[in-house]
């Protein structure tokens, strides 16, 4: 009669990847690991009830490792041999379930719980080793002191409720955030509570200011240095992000903590395009209106107005925007919003302001409309911003707006 063997699942202590082991004999609670100089490798199994005793177990069997770790061993549900053979059949029998959607708030809240628990290991803000088991248990919503029975009961309840794939995806996202904003070696060196809280704060800010978002930057909180920026990428380890700055007229790297939401902007005007143009200064204050067939003619007509000439000298430029029929009933001097800065009559530098001043950015409007996909830095387009659909098709922001925002 063949001996009974049990399959256990766990996660690699360094990479967080799922790993399975099959063995006979008495049940085990932990998979033990050791580092002989090239990263963690499997050392054996432990039936100890406490985590600390499980970590000490491999030391007696192999004293040459520099680090030791133990990860919780979970029994994989046994299945009949016939069913295993059916699952091995490459012929698809059912459509795969959609991948669980984990929100940034869930990741940040899990990191907050980990920071609180880690305070017990790192008193007075000192750097201490962050065990993978702590990350695993706290993300599951369990206390660090939870034993194997509590962990098994929690997994069983999550499986019955259908939430287990979501929680496992959350664990993976939390580990990804720790690697991105604490460091790749977060589980191999000392970590402070401040580092974990920094990761939670960065996750929240990265969700608030994704690539393509228009924001206001206040360097060191100084209102006098207010700047308008467009976020271009994800934040780095230090929580800084690449942006296009209107003040610098180019790309700069700034802390996410210096960004503030852009002002609430009026909705897009309605009606047909007319031959009337509004002329505004750099602050968005309307100076006059002119009638012209095109942009150059509108700028030429605007330069005949003394108020426009004075504003151009003061601001090194003025703005022009074609009006829609619904705006014509608004009294002159009450419209607001800076469009495109025109060249002044006298030689002087020009000021360029993006269309984000007159309405929400296209990426924001796409996300709010529920359009499929998201904004990415496309390698195929040389790092330029593209709206990538779920099937891999990439559109420029303008193309995506025509496809999903046109009424």
């Amino acid at each position: 009669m063949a001996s009974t063997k049990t399959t256990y699942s766990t996660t690699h202590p360094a990479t967080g990847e799922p790993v399975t082991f099959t063995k006979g004999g008495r049940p085990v609670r932990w998979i033990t690991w050791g580092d002989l100089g090239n990263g963690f490798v499997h050392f054996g199994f432990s039936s100890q009830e406490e985590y600390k005793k499980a970590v000490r177990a491999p030391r007696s069997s192999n004293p040459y490792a520099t680090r030791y770790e133990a990860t919780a061993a979970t029994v994989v549900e046994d299945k009949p041999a016939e069913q295993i053979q059916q699952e091995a059949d490459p012929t698809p029998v059912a459509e795969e379930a959609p991948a669980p959607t984990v929100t940034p708030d869930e990741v940040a809240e899990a990191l907050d719980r980990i920071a609180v628990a880690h305070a017990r290991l790192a008193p007075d803000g000192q750097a201490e080793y962050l065990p993978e088991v702590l990350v695993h248990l706290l993300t599951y919503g369990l206390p660090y002191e939870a034993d194997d029975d509590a962990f098994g009961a929690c997994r069983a309840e999550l499986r019955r409720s259908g939430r287990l794939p979501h929680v496992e995806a959350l664990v993976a996202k939390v580990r990804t955030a720790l690697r991105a904003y604490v460091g790749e070696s977060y589980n191999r060196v000392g970590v402070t509570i401040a580092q974990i809280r920094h990761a939670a704060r960065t996750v929240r800010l990265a969700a608030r200011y994704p690539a393509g978002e228009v924001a206001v930057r206040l360097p060191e909180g100084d209102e006098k240095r207010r700047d308008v920026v467009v976020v271009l990428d994800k934040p780095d380890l230090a929580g800084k992000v690449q942006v296009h700055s209107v003040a610098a007229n180019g790309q700069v790297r700034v802390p996410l903590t210096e960004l503030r939401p852009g002002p609430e902007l009026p909705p897009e005007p309605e009606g047909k395009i007319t031959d009337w143009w509004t002329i505004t200064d750099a602050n968005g204050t309307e100076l006059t209106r002119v009638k012209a067939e095109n942009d150059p003619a509108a700028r030429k007509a605007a330069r005949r107005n003394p108020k426009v000439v004075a504003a151009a000298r003061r601001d090194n430029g003025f703005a022009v925007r074609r009006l829609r029929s619904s705006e014509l009933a608004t009294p002159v001097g009450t419209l607001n919003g800076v469009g495109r800065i025109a060249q002044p009559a006298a030689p002087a530098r020009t000021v360029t302001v993006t269309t984000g001043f007159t309405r929400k950015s296209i990426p924001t409007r796409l996300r709010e409309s529920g359009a499929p996909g998201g904004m990415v830095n496309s390698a195929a387009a040389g790092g330029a911003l593209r709206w990538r659909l779920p099937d891999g098709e990439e559109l420029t922001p303008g193309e995506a707006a025509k496809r999903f925002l046109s009424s």
Side-chain angles (χ1 to χ4, degrees):
M1 182 176 179
S3 61
T4 302
K5 292 190 176 182
T6 305
T7 299
Y8 300 91
S9 67
T10 189
T11 54
H12 192 279
T15 65
E17 298 294 327
V19 186
T20 59
F21 296 93
T22 301
K23 68 177 294 294
R26 63 181 181 177
V28 300
R29 298 173 181 269
W30 305 90
I31 308 299
T32 56
W33 309 80
D35 183 2
L36 297 173
N38 295 314
F40 281 113
V41 295
H42 176 226
F43 264 28
F45 308 92
S46 174
S47 58
Q48 299 287 346
E49 292 188 4
E50 296 182 11
Y51 167 75
K52 292 182 179 179
K53 291 183 179 180
V55 172
R56 286 198 294 268
R59 301 185 183 185
S60 60
S61 59
N62 193 324
Y64 300 105
T66 57
R67 297 178 301 153
Y68 302 89
E69 180 62 283
T71 56
T74 305
V75 177
V76 178
E77 292 181 348
D78 295 329
K79 298 179 180 179
E82 294 79 12
Q83 184 175 352
I84 295 176
Q85 293 175 358
Q86 292 175 2
E87 291 182 351
D89 186 353
T91 304
V93 295
E95 185 177 351
E96 293 184 2
T101 301
V102 177
T103 66
D105 280 340
E106 290 178 289
V107 177
E109 289 170 4
L111 289 169
D112 287 336
R113 293 197 299 271
I114 293 170
V116 172
H118 190 58
R120 297 177 55 185
L121 303 177
D124 301 324
Q126 298 297 319
E128 291 290 345
Y129 173 59
L130 177 61
E132 275 294 334
V133 66
L134 184 147
V135 175
H136 204 87
L137 291 175
L138 269 294
T139 305
Y140 265 70
L142 294 170
Y144 179 34
E145 298 83 3
D147 57 18
D148 292 340
D149 292 337
F151 182 72
C154 178
R155 282 183 61 90
E157 178 59 31
L158 290 171
R159 186 180 292 108
R160 280 193 296 271
S161 64
R163 295 189 61 250
L164 184 58
H166 182 88
V167 175
E168 289 179 335
L170 176 59
V171 172
K173 290 283 188 181
V174 169
R175 287 174 171 149
T176 299
L178 286 169
R179 287 193 290 269
Y181 306 130
V182 175
E184 289 287 346
S185 59
Y186 79 89
N187 59 344
R188 300 192 294 274
V189 297
V191 174
T192 65
I193 303 170
Q195 287 177 295
I196 303 175
R197 288 176 176 164
H198 160 77
R201 182 174 62 252
T202 305
V203 167
R204 290 189 173 97
L205 290 174
R208 192 171 187 179
Y209 303 106
E213 187 73 11
V214 177
V216 173
R217 181 195 174 198
L218 299 179
E220 300 178 358
D222 188 355
E223 283 284 348
K224 295 180 180 179
R225 298 165 60 192
R226 176 184 288 264
D227 185 16
V228 176
V229 299
V230 180
V231 180
L232 301 177
D233 206 348
K234 295 180 180 179
D236 58 16
L237 183 67
K240 292 186 176 182
V241 67
Q242 193 80 5
V243 301
H244 179 86
S245 165
V246 171
N249 194 25
Q251 295 187 18
V252 294
R253 202 159 196 86
V254 303
L256 271 173
T257 52
E258 292 184 354
L259 301 186
R260 302 292 183 270
E264 288 294 331
L265 301 170
E268 190 74 11
E270 299 177 352
K272 296 181 179 179
I273 293 292
T274 70
D275 285 337
W276 283 94
W277 300 73
T278 179
I279 314 300
T280 56
D281 63 15
N283 294 321
T285 302
E286 188 176 36
L287 302 172
T288 187
R289 294 178 194 175
V290 298
K291 190 174 182 180
E293 293 182 356
N294 50 43
D295 181 280
R299 288 188 279 120
K300 183 177 180 180
R303 293 191 186 104
R304 300 192 188 106
N305 189 305
K307 290 174 61 178
V308 176
V309 173
R313 291 173 178 172
R314 182 187 67 239
D315 302 332
N316 293 323
F318 58 87
V320 297
R321 179 172 66 85
R322 190 189 288 268
L323 296 177
R324 291 182 178 268
S325 57
S326 63
E327 298 176 286
L328 296 181
T330 306
V332 177
T334 59
L335 284 180
N336 244 293
V338 180
R340 181 172 58 255
I341 296 298
Q343 294 181 353
R349 67 179 180 86
T350 61
V351 180
T352 302
V353 182
T354 67
T355 56
F357 280 98
T358 58
R359 60 182 179 182
K360 291 183 180 179
S361 66
I362 289 178
T364 299
R365 294 163 59 202
L366 287 168
R367 286 192 297 272
E368 292 178 350
S369 70
M375 191 63 69
V376 299
N377 288 94
S378 171
L385 289 173
R386 293 291 183 266
W387 186 266
R388 181 177 294 162
L389 300 178
D391 61 2
E393 181 184 3
E394 294 183 354
L395 306 172
T396 65
E399 291 171 340
K402 290 180 180 179
R403 181 176 300 187
F404 299 112
L405 299 180
S406 59
S407 54

